[in-house]
Amino acid sequence: MNINIPEFSLVVLIADQATKRVVSSRMELHDTIPVVEGFFHLTYVRNPGAAFGFFSGRDSLPMHIAFYAASILAFGVLAAVYRLQGKGASPWPRA
């Protein structure tokens, strides 16, 4: 199966943002909804930092600049890899 990575990424991003809006508009902070009883519960928590709370409580402007720069860099690397694969070349070094 051939998956279009940019389109798939866009669908995941939209689904992520939609679920965040639904949860924040319909649940109170720390509310829990059992999805599969005893196995999976949806709990509303807030994370003011980056992944796993890194940089929590730090000045947000430098953090935002750093994450935007990292995102642009990662997008550039992925775009280059995607283009190289389309031309039949491997972006990875050979041993």
Side-chain angles (χ1 to χ4, degrees), residues 17-85:
Q17 294 302 310
T19 56
K20 286 178 183 177
R21 284 184 186 246
V22 168
V23 166
S24 65
S25 68
R26 297 189 179 178
M27 292 178 71
E28 294 292 325
L29 192 58
H30 304 294
D31 279 353
T32 298
I33 298 172
V35 178
V36 178
E37 189 61 49
F39 178 72
F40 179 71
H41 291 227
L42 180 65
T43 303
Y44 179 27
V45 296
R46 305 267 341 220
N47 179 9
F52 309 109
F54 290 133
F55 304 114
S56 180
R58 310 277 180 177
D59 186 12
S60 65
L61 181 61
M63 183 180 73
H64 281 89
I65 291 171
F67 280 108
Y68 282 123
S71 298
I72 291 168
L73 178 65
F75 181 78
V77 168
L78 289 174
V81 168
Y82 188 73
R83 285 185 181 186
L84 283 173
Q85 286 179 340

